[in-house]
Amino acid sequence: MRAKQIGLSLAVVLVLAVSFVAYRIIWGTPFSFTHLMTRQAIEMIADSPQALTSVGLFDGAWYDLTSNKLDPYSLADREKRFARVRRLDAELTGWDRSRLSHQEQLSYDILHWSYGRMLADANYPWLGANNKPYPVEQAFGFQKNIINFLLSTHQIKNARLARHYVERVKAVGPLIDAVRADVERQAKLGVVAPDFIIDRSVAQMQALIAPAPKDNALV
């Protein structure tokens, strides 16, 4: 009986210890500044299904819950991102910089500057929901990035990823609708891309849907 009580007590202590460590790792005060930066980086990536696919750690596994989704696109999601960055920056600046090593101070300054740069976009509500002046443009616009992502980044290595790919393709339609509504919102605010950006973007999209030329050798 006494051995059973001791075993139960040890089990309780172990559970409490694991719970405490898990809390410190995920939510509580970080164990080190490096731990803080790592945790913040993971949190930023975890909110982006497409970024998680780029990393490629979970896609196709039984616990993969994101590779069938695209990144959300809405003003509400933009506000959520701003709120998260404000919280992460407050967590960062709550750290005593003077106690950090020279390299850690450099990382601190870069990260703090980066967060400040992200939050500066909140001063310009006319920006697109992705914080870009023009969501559709010929160099890094939505219409180009989503195609590149589906063609080059999402790998189909098993049946699960194949099904998730189909779900992502189906999600492109609603995403196009969201981007179009955002462009219309900008236009009402007087934000319209220059003619050359519109012309080249339209030409890109027309090239994507144009029929492939026939091979004369096979005619």
Side-chain angles (χ1 to χ4, degrees):
M1 179 64 71
R2 184 172 179 79
K4 187 179 294 186
Q5 291 176 338
I6 293 175
L8 180 60
S9 299
L10 289 174
V12 171
V13 170
L14 180 60
V15 169
L16 292 175
V18 171
S19 300
F20 173 75
V21 172
Y23 172 78
R24 287 285 299 274
I25 291 175
I26 301 174
W27 299 289
T29 303
F31 291 105
S32 66
F33 184 71
T34 299
H35 173 208
L36 171 70
M37 291 192 298
T38 301
R39 189 172 73 181
Q40 291 193 349
I42 292 174
E43 183 174 351
M44 293 286 283
I45 294 176
D47 196 45
S48 168
Q50 291 176 222
L52 286 173
T53 290
S54 298
V55 174
L57 294 178
F58 311 113
D59 284 12
W62 63 268
Y63 47 83
D64 173 14
L65 302 176
T66 59
S67 69
N68 60 338
K69 300 179 178 66
L70 299 174
D71 289 353
Y73 187 98
S74 71
L75 295 179
D77 288 298
R78 183 179 69 175
E79 291 305 314
K80 289 179 182 178
R81 291 194 297 271
F82 285 144
R84 181 179 61 247
V85 172
R86 291 187 187 98
R87 175 173 53 80
L88 295 180
D89 192 44
E91 187 180 38
L92 172 70
T93 54
W95 203 275
D96 188 353
R97 184 181 180 281
S98 65
R99 300 181 63 180
L100 301 176
S101 67
H102 175 72
Q103 184 59 48
E104 288 175 334
Q105 288 181 353
L106 180 60
S107 298
Y108 176 106
D109 293 339
I110 293 174
L111 193 55
H112 182 46
W113 176 87
S114 178
Y115 287 154
R117 178 62 190 85
M118 294 178 192
L119 292 174
D121 289 338
N123 297 320
Y124 307 99
W126 54 266
L127 290 173
N130 59 352
N131 287 338
K132 291 185 177 180
Y134 313 118
V136 178
E137 47 98 355
Q138 78 281 8
F140 305 103
F142 151 80
Q143 83 287 354
K144 188 172 184 177
N145 292 339
I146 192 64
I147 295 298
N148 288 339
F149 174 80
L150 291 172
L151 289 178
S152 305
T153 306
H154 184 118
Q155 299 183 28
I156 301 177
K157 298 180 291 185
N158 54 39
R160 187 182 186 88
L161 281 174
R163 291 192 297 269
H164 283 191
Y165 185 86
V166 173
E167 292 181 43
R168 271 180 160 163
V169 171
K170 290 180 179 178
V172 171
L175 184 58
I176 290 175
D177 291 339
V179 174
R180 180 172 58 188
D182 196 32
V183 171
E184 291 174 352
R185 174 189 66 87
Q186 287 186 297
K188 291 177 181 178
L189 296 173
V191 181
V192 179
D195 289 346
F196 76 91
I197 289 182
I198 296 176
D199 293 341
R200 293 179 183 178
S201 298
V202 169
Q204 279 183 348
M205 289 183 279
Q206 289 176 333
L208 288 173
I209 62 176
K214 293 182 179 181
D215 189 338
N216 293 331
L218 299 178
V219 175

